[in-house]
């Protein structure tokens, strides 16, 4: 009985020392870890997405950002991108009516500008 209590005490002490060592090592490694994260490309962590709200009136740039196509994309690419986004964001399938309206507005704007070219 006494031998098992000593063994448990030694195991707890060893675990405590291991945690203390790990915390001290983490403090020393913090500047190197920060530098490593800063050297990664920004798009690897999702910051490649457009940050900001919608413009009061949609323009060609915003429409192409919403659909994820080039501002000079052809009609086929615009329709494919619109279809994919509407499948994911349709209000009948739990999507936001506001986002669906913006997706439709983006498609309409890019379609209408393609007709005038």
């Amino acid at each position: 009985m006494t031998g098992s209590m000593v063994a448990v005490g030694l195991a707890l002490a060893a675990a405590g020392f291991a945690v203390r060592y790990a915390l001290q090592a983490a403090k020393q490694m913090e500047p190197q870890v920060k530098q490593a994260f800063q050297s990664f490309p920004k798009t690897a962590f999702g910051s490649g997405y457009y940050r900001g709200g919608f413009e009061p009136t949609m323009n060609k740039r915003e429409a192409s950002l919403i659909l994820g196509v080039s501002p000079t994309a052809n009609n086929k690419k615009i329709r494919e991108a619109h279809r994919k986004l509407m499948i994911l964001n349709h209000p009948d399938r739990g999507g936001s009516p506001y986002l669906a309206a913006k997706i439709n507005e983006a498609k309409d704007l890019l379609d209408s500008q393609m007709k005038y070219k």
Side-chain angles (χ1 to χ4, degrees), residues 23-106:
L23 289 175
Q24 287 175 349
K27 280 184 183 178
Q28 291 175 355
M29 294 290 291
E30 186 178 1
Q32 293 147 345
V33 171
K34 281 184 181 179
Q35 183 181 14
F37 276 120
Q38 289 174 350
S39 69
F40 282 126
K42 297 293 183 199
T43 57
F45 297 105
S47 62
Y49 293 107
Y50 177 72
R51 294 180 188 255
F54 294 110
E55 300 288 330
T57 57
M58 188 170 296
N59 56 29
K60 189 173 183 176
R61 179 183 172 276
E62 184 179 31
S64 63
L65 282 172
I66 290 171
L67 293 179
V69 296
S70 167
T72 59
N74 61 17
N75 235 357
K76 183 180 177 186
K77 286 187 180 182
I78 292 170
R79 289 183 188 275
E80 285 176 6
H82 174 262
R83 185 174 188 282
K84 286 179 185 178
L85 285 173
M86 283 308 291
I87 287 172
L88 295 172
N89 293 297
H90 199 279
D92 291 346
R93 300 212 171 200
S96 164
Y98 181 71
L99 288 179
K102 285 295 186 179
I103 293 167
N104 284 329
E105 185 181 356

